[in-house]
Structure formats: C-alpha cells, structure tokens
Amino acid sequence: MQTESIQLLPEHIIDQIKAGEVIERPSTLIKEILENAIDAGATKLDLHIIENGLELISLMDNGKGIDAEELPLAFCRHATSKIDRFEDIYHLNSYGFRGEALASIASVSRVSCESKTTASSGQINIEGGQTVHHFHQDKKNTDTGTKIFIKDLFFNTPVRMKFIQSKSAEKNQIKKIIHSFMINHFDKEFSIKWDQKEKEIYLKREHQVERLKDVLFAGKNIEFEQISAQYDGIDVQLFLSHESSRGNAHKSHFLFVNDRYIKEIPIHKVILNTAAPLWPEGETGHYVCLIKIPADEIDVNIHPNKTVIKFFRLNKVLSLLSGAIRAHLVPKQTRPIASERQDDLLPQSLGEREVQYREVNFNLKEETASYFENIHYQTEENHQSRLLLQDETSLLFQKEQKLYFLNKELLCNYHIRKILSSIDQQKVSPLLVSKPLKIDGALNESKIKQALDYGFEIDALDQETFVARTFYMPLQIYPYLTIIEALINQNFAMETINFYQSFSEFHLSAPLLREILGELNLAKLIEQNIMRELSLSNLKKIYAK
Ligand code: ADP
Ligand code: MG
C-alpha cells in the first residue's frame, strides 16, 4: 500500500471544529488507535492495557507505518492522511477520521511512537503535547508497522481522578469497545493483555461466527441459537446464548448495523423481550445482532464516539427481528411468549414520526390566521431595525419611525423556546470537540432521550459531568452548551425554564437582534409583554430612573 502524505485539514473544516476542551476517556482513545491501525491495513494488532488505560495503553500493529519525517505531523491537530475520505464523514462506512485523535491523546499523556514504513524508521516522544524527542532515518524495512505507547493518561488534567475512581465502569466500556472491534474485524489477529495477566490471543477467523464464539464464550463450547431473516433489503443475523443470568453485569449485548457497533434501545428491548422464552424467568443471555440495511434507510451523524444512528423505518426492523425470533423459538418454547407486551411495544410507542405537509384550509379561521402570521414576518424582515441602546437586561430600538423597548432576557427565552419547539433533525450537527458540562443529579435514560429530541446527543463522563456530541444548529447564535445544561438540569421544563439566566454575559449584537426579530412576530412580542412600543415621554420616564 502506498503511503499518502499527511496534510492539514482545509480551513473550513477546522472552523467547523469548535474550540474547546478536548475530552476523551480511555475507551475512546483505544477505539481511535485501533481504528488507525485498521486504516493502516494492519492484520495483526497487539494491545496492552494497564490500570484501565491510565497507566499504559500500547498498541503494536503491522500496518503500513507512518513516514518517519511525518511523525510529528501525525500528532498535530487537524492533520490527516485521509483527507479524500473526509468528505465522507457523514457517510456510514467511514470511521472517525477528523485528524485530531493523536493530537488529543498527545496533549493529555506521555506518548511514544515508533514506526516503520518500507522506506523509513522513526520514533517520537511527546509529553503533554510537547515533542521531547524525534528521530528519523531512511531505511528499507520489510516489517512495517507502528507501536504506540500512551502512558500516564490525563496526568495533566483533573479528569484522571475520576477515572481512577470509576474503575470497573471504565473497564467494561473498554472491553465493549475491544470486543466490538474484534467481532467486526474477525479476519484480523488480536492479542489483548490486561495488566500483568496472560495475553488473550484471538487468531484470525474465516467466519464471523467463529470470532463471535471466541469473544462471547471465550472458546468454551456453549450452546447458542443462530437466527437469520431478510426482508425488503434488510438482513438480520442474530446469535442468542442459552447461558443466562440475572442483571446486566458481564453480559454481552452487541448490535451492529452495517458493521458499525451501535446502541438502539428499542432493538435491544425487542430482542430481550421476544427471546425471553429461551431463558429462565427474569434472566437474559448474551446476544449479537448483525443488521445490514440499505444506506438510505438510516441516518448517521458522525462524531467522536458515535454509537447512535437513526432508522427512518425502525418499525420494519423491529417487526423483522421479533418475527424472526418468534418463528425460530416457537418449536422450543418453554413458556408462553408475552405477546401483549410485545405488541404494545411496537406500533404505538415506536411509531415513526411523519412529517406533515398540509395545505392551508382557508375556510378555517385559525389556520388562516396562522398562515398570515407567517407571511407577516416575512415582509417585515426587509425593514431594518436600528439598535439604539442596550444594557444588561433591556434594549431600545427603532423600527419604521417607532421606538420599542424590549426585555432582552424575555426575548431570548422566547426565541430559544420557539426554536426548540419544532426541531428539524436535519439541522442537527456533530460537535467534534465539546466541553464537559455539569449534571445536578443523575443523567438517566429518559434525560438522554429527551436531549436527543432537542438535537443534543449527550454522553455521561461520570456521575457529575457529561458532554454534548451534537447540537441543534439554529441555536448556534446562543451559548448552546449552556442551554443544554439548563435543559438537563431543569428537567426540560419548557414552560418555566429560564435559559437567559445561565448566560448573563451574552451580548445581543445589532445584526443578531435583527436576525432574531426577523424571525419573530413583533405583534406577538408585544402581546406577550416582551416588547413595548414607546412614546417619547415614556422613554424619558424609563431612562430618567
Ligand atoms: P485521522 O485518523 O483522523 O487521520 P489521527 O490523529 O487518528 O487522525 O491520525 C493522524 C494520522 O496519523 C493518520 O491520518 C495516519 O496517517 C497516521 N497514523 C496514525 N496511526 C497510524 C498507524 N497505526 N499506522 C499508520 N499511520 C497512522
Ligand atoms: Mg484516527
């Protein structure tokens, strides 16, 4: 394979990546370096993890290597050799190539990397983002590959403490990532070493099901069910273990859609519910579900650890799965399938949301009114407003010879609520770099789901912090991260929520004000007491105070 040279990303893409604190966790870093090795064509990967990655994460691969002179560039932000694939970032089959993984890793650890290409050998040591040693040499090599050693992860950040405290959670997460990788890349050899334990060797396999058994049952001969079904271009393969237990600990539940490891709660629930007859009451087993679906039936929004995709017709997938599991289990059924439970779950709660395009019925008074209300602001947009005065809480502006007094706080709240009241999921954008936000109380499933409805995909970092992975673009004029924090911490109580309080330093510039007013209906603002028309005498009174 030819080595493409590493290049800096174009400005516009760099601009898309918002400045901010880079947050990663050991499992994410592991995923990134595994992906890099696979991208480099490696067929043998040798991973060693000490103290859940805090002490050491090392990976050796036999890929094509990094050109010795370009080693520093590989650890430079926004540098990637996969530039031609960057346009692909929104497509499903691309991994996370955003040219920042190695740079982020290097900024929060002590990294050393040795690499051999067919033409060079090199080594680099970086501590907290500073190169302390770089060596390169032209040399013909036949044993190409890269060794990366990441030591003392987060040594220079307060996050380290948190990972030290939450050991088992992080370990499970790391295992999940590694296992999903190995299942996906069954044709590659992996060796995994945890702390000072013996290496686990996973030889390359010809069939995915062999690797599945290696991963799920550690080579033991455990009985499992293999179910497959196809419908309307969707192909489902499901493996269910007979072995079962209570609770979720040490359980392997894997869902892959078009070879990407994802999480989709409804699918998970349907599998566990429908397959329930396989296990004793109250227990569940392992499963691996592999779905192949036409690319236009799903929507994938790439971001650092994207494990969520959107199915346009989830119902179809759920019906296919539950039908296939039922058909397979019927002859072996040991206790009745809770069919009502199953049927409840499907059509009502998981129904697809349909976009409604309706025509206006001018015979209906209300409909007509709202129709004209919309027209109203479109024409008004052209008449510019002039911002005369602004203080912390209010604004004075002029529009068509009239003076208006406006409560900034109420205006922003009103506008944000309006934006959030009809979310267009097409306008959800990935946030490649985000900063940690605080949670008061726990971040539960329902909050995570609600946040999704508002275009924010969020991940808990630990008990007290979370990060947003996506945001809703129409909110970009506002400090949107603060808004998501307010939403989460005030339980999405839209009626009472006060966004403005949480970003008091927010300054409304004249163009911004114009933009906002252009979108809103002035009459409505007056009606809601957000804005008031002023006479000169009123004005004097207000500013005399
Ligand atoms: P990206 O993968 O998005 O390009 P990274 O920061 O992960 O960004 O890596 C930067 C570059 O370093 C890659 O584009 C690739 O050229 C090189 N690289 C990283 N890891 C390896 C590896 N294991 N083998 C060969 N090249 C690598
Ligand atoms: Mg990468």
Side-chain angles (χ1 to χ4, degrees), residues 37-234:
I38 301 272
D39 282 344
T43 55
K44 251 187 109 177
L45 297 90
D46 199 334
L47 184 65
H48 188 184
I49 296 165
I50 302 183
E51 279 293 318
N52 300 318
L54 289 181
E55 210 62 32
L56 173 79
I57 297 170
S58 78
L59 180 66
M60 291 182 218
D61 71 57
N62 64 350
K64 65 184 177 184
I66 305 172
D67 182 78
E69 276 192 62
E70 287 184 349
L71 266 176
L73 206 46
F75 289 90
C76 175
R77 201 161 289 278
H78 309 309
T80 180
S81 60
K82 304 162 193 171
I83 193 99
D84 46 327
R85 289 156 65 192
F86 205 86
E87 293 302 319
D88 251 11
I89 195 160
Y90 295 102
H91 296 150
L92 178 64
N93 293 319
S94 50
Y95 288 117
F97 31 83
R98 19 183 199 118
E100 67 173 306
L102 290 187
S104 318
I105 294 171
S107 67
V108 291
S109 65
R110 299 186 173 94
V111 174
S112 100
C113 179
E114 294 168 39
S115 200
K116 286 183 192 174
T117 67
T118 49
S120 68
S121 297
Q123 190 190 338
I124 191 164
N125 295 350
I126 305 175
E127 291 192 4
Q130 303 297 314
T131 302
V132 291
H133 169 77
H134 176 211
F135 154 87
H136 57 99
Q137 181 184 37
D138 290 343
K139 192 167 177 268
K140 285 214 172 351
N141 295 303
T142 46
D143 55 338
T144 64
T146 303
K147 297 180 189 173
I148 181 160
F149 300 88
I150 302 160
K151 288 179 208 144
D152 305 325
L153 188 57
F154 302 128
F155 76 94
N156 51 358
T157 72
V159 198
R160 186 177 168 91
M161 236 4 249
K162 292 180 180 158
F163 287 113
I164 290 176
Q165 287 155 358
S166 65
K167 269 187 181 167
S168 67
E170 195 55 26
K171 179 154 193 171
N172 286 337
Q173 188 61 24
I174 294 173
K175 275 195 172 161
K176 205 102 212 218
I177 296 285
I178 297 175
H179 287 170
S180 67
F181 238 85
M182 292 196 296
I183 293 173
N184 243 344
H185 300 281
F186 58 91
D187 57 345
K188 293 169 184 99
E189 183 179 320
F190 288 83
S191 96
I192 318 286
K193 186 175 158 94
W194 293 93
D195 299 308
Q196 300 314 324
K197 294 201 190 93
E198 234 175 272
K199 270 188 186 176
E200 300 164 14
I201 310 252
Y202 297 83
L203 296 175
K204 72 177 205 159
R205 294 298 198 175
E206 212 162 305
H207 302 287
Q208 193 162 27
V209 56
E210 299 167 320
R211 176 57 62 77
L212 267 173
K213 288 198 243 174
D214 295 339
V215 170
L216 294 191
F217 314 128
K220 279 178 281 169
N221 209 0
I222 286 176
E223 230 192 316
F224 67 95
E225 298 293 323
Q226 189 169 348
I227 301 170
S228 68
Q230 290 77 32
Y231 172 73
D232 206 12
I234 306 174

Side-chain angles (χ1 to χ4, degrees), residues 416-417 420-421 423 437-440 443 447 450-456 458 466 472 475 479-495 497-499 502-503:
I416 293 169
R417 279 201 201 108
L420 292 176
S421 69
I423 296 281
L437 302 171
K438 249 188 77 55
I439 325 166
D440 303 334
L443 192 65
K447 281 190 181 180
Q450 267 176 300
L452 256 185
D453 290 340
Y454 290 111
F456 289 100
I458 56 176
F466 70 98
Y472 189 48
L475 282 179
Y480 46 83
L481 290 179
T482 326
I483 293 173
I484 176 67
E485 195 169 45
L487 281 170
I488 294 275
N489 288 324
Q490 296 177 48
N491 288 313
F492 300 89
M494 279 301 171
E495 296 309 312
I497 207 160
N498 192 342
F499 300 108
S502 43
F503 42 85

